[in-house]
């Protein structure tokens, strides 16, 4: 196994001690980010909008607080990129749609408000696919401009992977946080369903939409997720398990379940070999690896997932009828073909069809948890190998859709490479076991470094 090391990353988490000791300042940190943006974004095209003056003002204010030892929170002075389906009071939210060109909500989404409250530096808005599900934007992969950065959180992942920002917000309804994180050599975190507040994030699917975080390191991702959880909460939910300035302590897993799923048929031999080497390295460190070949109930789970997973997109189609029926009626062809197709797909289903989809998913959630039992997580890939050529298609979602469909926590860890391009290992856990899973992810990152 050849461990991937991103030469570009700039980590806020690793810089906080320098701010506290006076060896660095948030303004100087921000200026390093802006220098990379000025140098690289003409090619990478990660940002739709920048608010540099406001960012500098926020960074200077954070610097004064560090000088007096009174920082506001674990993200004070942290530059954060915001996916352009997430509302910001001071910048447009255009969703890569000509129908919403220049549109501005006039208020911050809940997650953005929580970050500002903690002194974070809101850097700008990043490219998304149309409404996070339609046609692609112009963003390129930071390691090869002829390849996709993944989607739909294309710009956020590319910005982090290129060293333009230490962390950014994305979303995931099927694969939209972890796949671009994998392709761009960054850490991705998709919390359990409902764990982070979605107020002010343009909706697709009420039962599959997740706020996601993409960052340079686990520490960067965890700080931002924790600040959002503690700063604004989420309706009817407990706070993020283990929320705080530091990732939960490394926790050695006793047992991991290796999932194959149908995604295993999509990857090349070299990518397979890299993943196999990672699994072998974990086994050599005392982790018991369970598979469908060694445990019948894992085989039963995989068979059920394979038989039912296509229903995940049917649920999304049913749930996006509002507001997209209205958008299509008002804007016609300004709304992309894929969204027209999904609304049509929804019209072909009955209320009973939707109920059956929900019943099936609920049964599979129970089976997922029961199969996990005394294991510490599920292990698979975070994408079908490295980023693919071309920009129109953002890559297969096969490896990622299960976690979104079932609403379980998942990390993409940038551990692997093929032909000099990164891709991630995906670690999934039990619903609402985000902190425990983060501890396992922390251990795996350290052990496979």
């Amino acid at each position: 196994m050849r461990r991937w090391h991103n030469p570009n990353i700039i980590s806020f988490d690793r810089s906080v001690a320098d701010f506290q000791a006076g060896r660095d300042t948030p303004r100087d940190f921000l200026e390093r980010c802006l220098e990379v943006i000025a140098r690289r974004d003409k090619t990478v095209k990660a940002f739709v909008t920048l608010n540099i003056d406001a960012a500098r003002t926020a960074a200077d204010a954070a610097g004064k607080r560090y000088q007096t030892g009174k920082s506001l929170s674990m993200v004070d002075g942290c530059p954060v990129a915001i996916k352009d389906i997430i509302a910001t009071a001071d910048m447009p939210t255009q969703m890569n749609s000509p129908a919403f060109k220049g549109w501005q909500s006039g208020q911050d989404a809940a997650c953005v408000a929580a970050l500002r409250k903690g002194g974070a530096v809101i850097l700008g808005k990043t490219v998304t696919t149309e409404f996070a599900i339609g046609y692609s934007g112009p963003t390129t992969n930071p390691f090869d401009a002829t390849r996709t950065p993944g989607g739909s959180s294309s710009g956020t992942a590319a910005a982090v992977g290129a060293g333009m920002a230490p962390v950014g917000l994305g979303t995931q309804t099927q694969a939209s946080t972890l796949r671009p994180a994998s392709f761009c050599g960054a850490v991705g975190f998709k919390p359990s369903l409902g764990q982070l507040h979605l107020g002010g994030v343009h909706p697709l699917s009420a039962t599959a939409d997740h706020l996601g975080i993409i960052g340079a390191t686990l520490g960067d991702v965890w700080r931002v997720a924790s600040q959002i959880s503690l700063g604004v909460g989420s309706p009817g939910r407990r706070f993020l398990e283990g929320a705080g300035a530091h990732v939960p302590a490394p926790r050695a897993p006793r047992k991991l379940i290796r999932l194959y799923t149908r995604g295993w048929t999509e990857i090349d031999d070299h990518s397979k070999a890299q993943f196999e080497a990672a699994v072998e390295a974990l086994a050599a460190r005392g982790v018991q690896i369970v598979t469908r070949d060694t445990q019948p109930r894992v085989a039963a789970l995989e068979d059920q997932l394979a038989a039912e997973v296509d229903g995940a997109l049917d649920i999304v189609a049913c749930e996006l009828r509002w507001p997209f029926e209205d958008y299509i009626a008002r804007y016609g062809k300004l709304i992309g073909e894929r969204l027209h197709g999904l609304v049509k797909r929804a019209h072909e289903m009955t209320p009973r069809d939707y109920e059956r989809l929900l019943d099936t998913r609920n049964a599979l959630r129970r089976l997922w948890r029961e199969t996990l039992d005394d294991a510490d997580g599920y292990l698979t890939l975070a994408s079908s190998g490295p980023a693919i050529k071309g920009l129109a298609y953002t890559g297969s979602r096969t490896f990622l859709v299960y976690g979104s469909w079932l609403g379980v926590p998942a990390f993409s860890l940038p551990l692997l490479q093929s032909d000099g391009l990164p891709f991630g290992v995906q670690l999934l856990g039990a619903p609402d076991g985000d902190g425990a899973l983060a501890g396992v992810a922390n251990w795996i990152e350290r052990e496979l470094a």
Side-chain angles (χ1 to χ4, degrees):
M1 170 190 167
R2 293 179 59 207
R3 168 72 196 266
W4 168 259
H5 291 283
N6 188 341
N8 303 323
I9 62 165
I10 180 167
S11 170
F12 173 81
D13 182 63
R14 295 173 182 173
S15 299
V16 170
D18 288 336
F19 298 156
Q20 293 169 335
R23 293 185 297 267
D24 194 7
T25 69
R27 176 62 182 269
D28 288 340
F29 187 95
L30 171 66
E31 292 301 329
R32 294 195 291 274
C33 294
L34 293 175
E35 187 278 326
V36 178
I37 293 171
R39 178 165 44 86
R40 297 201 61 189
D41 204 40
K42 289 180 182 178
T43 300
V44 176
K45 301 174 185 174
F47 284 92
V48 181
T49 309
L50 289 166
N51 194 346
I52 294 174
D53 289 344
R56 284 173 169 155
T57 298
D60 287 341
K64 290 177 182 177
R65 291 189 290 270
Y66 277 107
Q67 286 176 353
T68 60
K70 296 179 180 179
S71 59
L72 287 177
S73 79
M74 66 196 86
V75 298
D76 200 2
C78 179
V80 184
I82 309 294
K83 183 177 181 178
D84 200 28
I85 66 163
I86 301 172
T88 46
D90 55 342
M91 289 174 278
T93 304
Q94 302 175 96
M95 295 166 285
N96 194 24
S97 170
F100 282 79
K101 185 174 178 59
W103 184 80
Q104 196 155 344
S105 68
Q107 67 174 170
D108 286 330
C111 53
V112 176
L115 292 173
R116 287 199 207 270
K117 180 181 177 182
V121 176
I122 304 304
L123 182 55
K125 305 298 286 290
T126 52
V127 172
T128 175
T129 64
E130 181 202 20
F131 294 106
I133 200 167
Y135 53 77
S136 298
T139 308
T140 66
N141 190 284
F143 303 102
D144 182 345
T146 69
R147 295 175 186 264
T148 180
S152 62
S153 305
S154 313
T156 295
V160 173
M164 299 177 188
V167 66
L169 301 187
T171 61
Q172 181 162 314
T173 303
Q174 292 210 301
S176 296
T177 292
L178 301 189
R179 178 179 54 194
S182 178
F183 284 171
C184 293
V187 174
F189 175 40
K190 183 201 74 64
S192 296
L193 183 70
Q195 192 63 252
L196 298 183
H197 205 304
L198 283 168
V201 179
H202 193 283
L204 283 175
S205 168
T207 69
D209 287 348
H210 301 70
L211 188 67
I213 319 291
I214 299 173
T217 68
L218 268 173
D220 292 291
V221 163
W222 196 254
R223 280 178 183 269
V224 167
S226 295
Q227 174 61 26
I228 293 169
S229 177
L230 298 175
V232 74
S234 193
R237 301 302 299 271
R238 296 179 183 275
F239 294 109
L240 184 69
E241 181 189 37
H246 303 291
V247 186
R251 187 168 70 89
R254 189 183 68 81
K255 180 192 295 185
L256 293 172
I257 299 172
R258 181 231 175 108
L259 291 179
Y260 285 89
T261 71
R262 70 173 70 159
W264 197 245
T265 65
E266 299 177 353
I267 58 175
D268 63 82
D269 289 342
H270 189 258
S271 298
K272 285 181 181 179
Q274 288 289 297
F275 181 69
E276 295 286 5
V279 173
E280 290 172 7
L282 292 173
R285 287 160 173 79
V287 181
Q288 181 185 356
I289 305 296
V290 176
T291 73
R292 62 176 298 125
D293 297 324
T294 61
Q295 193 170 99
R297 63 180 178 173
V298 174
L301 172 65
E302 289 206 27
D303 290 345
Q304 285 293 303
L305 291 174
E308 304 294 349
V309 69
D310 293 329
L313 189 58
D314 289 329
I315 291 174
V316 173
C318 285
E319 293 178 351
L320 62 67
R321 287 181 61 175
W322 186 91
F324 289 98
E325 284 181 332
D326 173 65
Y327 289 175
I328 289 169
R330 281 199 282 159
Y331 303 120
K333 291 184 179 180
L334 289 181
I335 305 301
E337 289 183 11
R338 187 169 192 225
L339 283 157
H340 281 261
L342 287 168
V343 169
K344 181 176 182 293
R345 184 170 180 167
H347 287 160
E348 293 167 352
M349 287 184 277
T350 67
R352 182 59 189 140
D353 291 333
Y354 178 62
E355 289 175 349
R356 279 194 290 266
L357 290 167
L358 296 182
D359 290 342
T360 297
R361 182 172 63 183
N362 287 337
L364 279 165
R365 280 176 173 162
R366 290 192 294 272
L367 185 58
W368 176 275
R369 188 186 287 275
E370 290 166 3
T371 305
L372 191 59
D373 191 20
D374 63 341
D376 297 286
Y378 293 94
L379 194 68
T380 187
L381 283 169
S383 60
S384 300
I388 59 173
K389 287 274 190 180
L391 302 181
Y393 177 51
T394 58
S396 170
R397 60 182 180 269
T398 307
F399 281 107
L400 291 312
V401 67
Y402 304 99
S404 302
W405 178 39
L406 302 180
V408 299
F411 287 91
S412 175
L413 305 176
L415 299 175
L416 307 179
Q417 62 173 304
S418 180
D419 296 327
L421 295 168
F423 62 108
V425 169
Q426 184 183 184
L427 181 67
L428 304 99
D432 300 323
D434 301 58
L437 192 69
V440 175
N442 198 358
W443 183 87
I444 290 174
E445 275 244 310
R446 293 191 183 193
E447 289 297 312
L448 298 187

